[in-house]
Amino acid sequence: MASVLNTVPSLRLSNFNNTNRVRTRQVFTPNPVSFTRRRLTIRATETDANEVKPEAPDNAPAAAGSSFNQLLGIKGAAQETNIWKIRLQLTKPVTWPPLVWGVVCGAAASGNFHWNVEDVAKSIVCMMMSGPFLTGYTQTLNDWYDREIDAINEPYRPIPSGAISENEVITQIWLLLLGGLGLAGLLDVWAGHDFPIVFYLALGGSLLSYIYSAPPLKLKQNGWIGNFALGASYISLPWWAGQALFGTLTPDIIVLTTLYSIAGLGIAIVNDFKSVEGDRELGLQSLPVAFGEETAKWICVGAIDITQISVAGYLLGAGKPYYALALLALIIPQVIFQFQYFLKDPVKYDVKYQASAQPFLVLGLLVTALATSH
């Protein structure tokens, strides 16, 4: 899927000395790594790259890392050799809940969800489509195209470290994509849709995921467009899928959820701070690189807070003051946690900030969904 086109001679990281060309803290790779200014590929020592066996790199900073973090696909993960655990790590289960919650909000906004066996089963299948399958596809694809950045920022991750082979990654991408699209088609048949709207939403979201991560477009290279696309994928698309499954998408819902995607842009910026070094080296214009970390912090919190205040204003204007007040009440703790954690140090406190503040944001999504359903 991706190959090295440059012909700069290969360098073995394990043979780096104390020259001025390269500085590393502590480098060890289980396989030689071919590496140029723009591309990186994993190669086996005496065999084909596609036959590399999973092998945990010794240079990982988390010798005593958490197995739980490994399964969730987040920082501080223990190194793993079990291929199925590595596959799960690539799908980053920690990123599934927002998509699952989006389906819940869409179902609630439809006004047609009922607590019976069939509707619950439909919603679970829709959650599986949005979370494990299509978000898993997105995360694996993104890790594949980010392998050169990860080789700089997080060289111990599964793909740059050689813990999983090229063929295994590509196979996983296709299986998750086709599985997600298959579930989308099943949901359309199950709901009796004349037009397969859930399938086309899934297809459109999958295409957006591809152009977000892959060249030549690679939307993530632009901080504004890339982060807005990411926000829309996490908020608008699963909401639309849930609402289309149980009801009808309306123009006001599309506008409202698209507006909420600006808050998603802010959430996406949070994750850019930990990759500043690699982004800068590879010429990616993330907002912390383009504007500086101090300015980017305020762009981030402004996008999150102003969007929610605007939605509260919309609900107030629509004659739903109690829902508007509830949403405003949920914004207050988010602002407190922004000052307590994120604005102090967005890299050190990124996980703590998101764990503290984001539950209030997703509850605000549900408040908005319930308001639109009445």
Side-chain angles (χ1 to χ4, degrees):
M1 183 177 289
S3 60
V4 177
L5 302 179
N6 299 323
T7 55
V8 178
S10 301
L11 296 177
R12 292 187 176 227
L13 294 182
S14 58
N15 292 333
F16 278 12
N17 54 28
N18 296 325
T19 66
N20 293 326
R21 291 183 299 170
V22 179
R23 289 185 180 179
T24 61
R25 293 181 183 175
Q26 183 180 7
V27 180
F28 177 87
T29 57
N31 306 311
V33 177
S34 179
F35 158 83
T36 74
R37 292 175 62 188
R38 295 181 62 86
R39 297 282 185 182
L40 176 147
T41 186
I42 308 299
R43 292 180 181 169
T45 306
E46 297 178 350
T47 185
D48 187 86
N50 298 337
E51 299 174 354
V52 177
K53 301 294 183 183
E55 185 174 337
D58 292 343
N59 70 320
S66 166
S67 296
F68 182 70
N69 285 13
Q70 188 274 327
L71 292 176
L72 291 180
I74 59 178
K75 290 194 301 183
Q79 296 303 306
E80 185 57 66
T81 58
N82 183 296
I83 187 61
W84 294 106
K85 291 184 178 180
I86 293 171
R87 287 187 181 281
L88 182 63
Q89 181 181 2
L90 284 176
T91 67
K92 296 183 183 174
V94 72
T95 63
W96 301 351
L99 282 293
V100 170
W101 191 255
V103 172
V104 172
C105 292
S110 73
N112 292 321
F113 177 84
H114 302 94
W115 286 100
N116 56 48
V117 173
E118 183 177 9
D119 281 4
V120 170
K122 284 180 184 176
S123 64
I124 291 173
V125 173
C126 193
M127 291 172 187
M128 290 177 60
M129 175 198 74
S130 301
F133 279 91
L134 293 183
T135 305
Y137 150 77
T138 299
Q139 295 295 346
T140 307
L141 184 75
N142 188 62
D143 266 25
W144 170 252
Y145 283 107
D146 268 4
R147 61 197 185 280
E148 61 252 42
I149 297 176
D150 287 342
I152 298 169
N153 295 321
E154 300 175 277
Y156 46 85
R157 287 192 58 77
I159 295 176
S161 72
I164 186 170
S165 72
E166 174 182 331
N167 273 356
E168 288 168 330
V169 175
I170 294 172
T171 299
Q172 175 163 319
I173 290 170
W174 278 107
L175 287 177
L176 291 172
L177 173 61
L178 295 177
L181 294 177
L183 288 178
L186 172 65
L187 288 169
D188 280 316
V189 173
W190 197 350
H193 291 159
D194 294 327
F195 179 80
I197 185 169
V198 178
F199 175 81
Y200 279 108
L201 285 172
L203 186 63
S206 301
L207 177 61
L208 182 62
S209 297
Y210 180 78
I211 64 175
Y212 172 81
S213 298
L217 294 179
K218 200 164 188 172
L219 299 181
K220 67 184 299 177
Q221 292 183 104
N222 182 292
W224 292 109
I225 298 174
N227 285 330
F228 182 79
L230 194 61
S233 298
Y234 273 78
I235 294 176
S236 296
L237 287 172
W239 183 315
W240 295 351
Q243 184 155 350
L245 180 61
F246 294 102
T248 304
L249 273 178
T250 56
D252 60 323
I253 288 296
I254 293 174
V255 171
L256 193 61
T257 52
T258 302
L259 179 63
Y260 242 121
S261 297
I262 298 174
L265 178 150
I267 295 170
I269 297 172
V270 174
N271 296 314
D272 288 339
F273 287 91
K274 64 185 178 184
S275 303
V276 168
E277 180 183 345
D279 289 348
R280 185 178 289 117
E281 184 168 333
L282 293 169
L284 300 181
Q285 289 298 302
S286 66
L287 294 186
V289 172
F291 293 94
E293 294 185 34
E294 191 64 29
T295 301
K297 287 191 298 187
W298 289 100
I299 294 174
C300 175
V301 298
I304 293 171
D305 297 342
I306 293 172
T307 297
Q308 293 178 91
I309 292 170
S310 300
V311 173
Y314 169 85
L315 295 178
L316 184 63
K320 299 175 181 178
Y322 296 113
Y323 288 103
L325 288 173
L327 184 55
L328 288 173
L330 290 168
I331 296 171
I332 294 171
Q334 295 178 61
V335 174
I336 292 172
F337 288 126
Q338 286 163 0
F339 280 94
Q340 185 175 354
Y341 296 125
F342 181 73
L343 292 173
K344 283 185 178 179
D345 190 331
V347 176
K348 181 178 180 181
Y349 296 117
D350 64 333
V351 174
K352 185 174 287 188
Y353 163 68
Q354 294 188 72
S356 303
Q358 285 194 19
F360 295 97
L361 185 141
V362 298
L363 284 174
L365 281 170
L366 183 59
V367 168
T368 304
L370 293 171
T372 58
S373 71
H374 293 82

